[in-house]
DNA sequence: CTCTCCTGATGAGTCAGCCT
DNA sequence: AGGCTGACTCATCAGGAGAG
């Protein structure tokens, strides 16, 4: 989109006119570029087509992963999350060192690169949850677990203003990127008070298919609540609920 | 140097049309 | 007049070639 630079200078495109700045000054010209048919057919654009193919694969892989944790994502995603996930998926695909150019994919890539991915940039798990947790993926039994030792909520959870209660949520998923299917299960604690009383030990066990040969993922997040006259309300429609990729077993 | 083209998915923004 | 809805467009993510 066109952005205003100063009073009259623009950067971007309006209709068929492109505005940009070069070392020679500000330029406005008609949209140019490459003919779509040439990109589709011209041998010179082979590299470009290969790149597009991998990019498309990254977009699709992100969609399946997102679909697999849709229930958790509903209240824990920001508007740019899809772009960031596509970006990360591209890195995963580019880490595929066995497939030919244009055919690189998530299975042969490094799905582990998604570890640490934050689904809500406005509230990251890394800056909200300071209690130690341990994620474990047991491929043989299909158990995707996360354990938290007892902790004092008010000390170990940085909660947004207005918070009175919270939940810890997690999900384990087994994603088949080729057939575009997944197996998912998720867990959540009861609504806990955000105060100085230590929690019990928390263990979530999310089961997927035993002896799976597909990539397995563990996501962990928090949901904040505000109690008003005995009723629980989601805090600010969930815009401050963190959710992150904690553990990945790519195979 | 800086732009567009393509690929997939999606939220955000725009706009016409319609109802109250 | 203002609000709602569906249809549509655009920017975002990466990267490589060609145009000006």
């Amino acid at each position: 989109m066109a952005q205003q630079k100063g009073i009259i200078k623009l950067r971007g495109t309006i209709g068929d006119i492109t505005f940009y700045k070069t070392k020679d000054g500000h330029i406005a010209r008609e949209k140019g570029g490459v003919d779509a048919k040439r990109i589709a057919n011209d041998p010179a654009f082979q590299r470009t087509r290969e790149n597009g193919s991998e990019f498309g694969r990254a977009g699709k892989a992100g969609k399946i992963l997102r679909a697999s944790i849709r229930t958790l994502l509903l209240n824990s995603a920001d508007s740019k999350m899809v772009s960031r996930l596509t970006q990360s998926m591209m890195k995963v695909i580019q880490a595929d060192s066995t497939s030919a150019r244009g055919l690189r994919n998530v299975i042969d890539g490094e799905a582990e690169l998604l570890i640490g991915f934050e689904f809500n940039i406005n509230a990251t798990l890394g800056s909200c949850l300071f209690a130690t947790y341990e994620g474990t993926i047991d491929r043989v039994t299909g158990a995707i677990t996360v354990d938290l030792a007892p902790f004092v909520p008010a000390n170990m959870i940085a909660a947004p203003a207005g918070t009175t209660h919270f939940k810890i949520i997690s999900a384990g998923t087994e994603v088949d990127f080729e057939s575009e299917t997944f197996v998912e299960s998720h867990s959540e604690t009861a609504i806990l008070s955000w105060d100085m009383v230590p929690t019990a030990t928390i263990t979530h066990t999310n089961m997927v298919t035993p002896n799976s040969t597909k990539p397995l993922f563990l996501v962990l997040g928090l949901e904040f609540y505000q109690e008003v006259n005995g009723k629980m309300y989601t805090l600010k429609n969930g815009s401050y609920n963190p959710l992150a990729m904690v553990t990945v077993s790519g195979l």
Side-chain angles (χ1 to χ4, degrees), chain A residues 63-75:
Chain A
K63 182 195 182 184
I64 303 163
L65 181 62
R66 268 180 281 117
S68 77
I69 54 168
R70 174 148 250 113
T71 31
L72 280 76
L73 229 35
L74 281 176
N75 282 323

Side-chain angles (χ1 to χ4, degrees), chain A residues 155-242:
Chain A
N155 287 344
M156 303 309 274
I157 291 179
T163 299
T164 61
H165 292 74
F166 69 99
K167 260 185 197 176
I168 290 181
I169 58 177
S170 72
T173 60
E174 168 193 5
V175 182
D176 185 334
F177 290 102
E178 285 169 318
S179 70
E180 301 178 21
T181 57
F182 57 84
V183 176
E184 184 264 3
S185 60
H186 53 269
S187 314
E188 59 181 39
T189 60
I191 295 184
L192 307 172
S193 291
W194 185 63
D195 56 18
M196 295 301 289
V197 181
T199 64
T201 298
I202 295 167
T203 300
H204 286 174
T205 305
N206 304 301
M207 298 302 298
V208 296
T209 315
N211 296 307
S212 172
T213 55
K214 310 287 186 290
L216 304 177
F217 301 91
L218 169 65
V219 296
L220 178 65
L222 296 172
E223 278 184 5
F224 295 113
Y225 293 87
Q226 182 169 53
E227 181 181 28
V228 177
N229 295 332
K231 282 190 70 177
M232 292 295 177
Y233 295 88
T234 12
L235 196 72
K236 290 170 184 161
N237 289 320
S239 47
Y240 293 106
N241 290 340

Side-chain angles (χ1 to χ4, degrees), chain A residues 139-157:
Chain A
R139 213 165 247 294
V140 177
T141 63
I144 299 177
T145 57
V146 60
D147 296 290
L148 293 93
F151 63 94
V152 176
N155 287 344
M156 303 309 274
I157 291 179

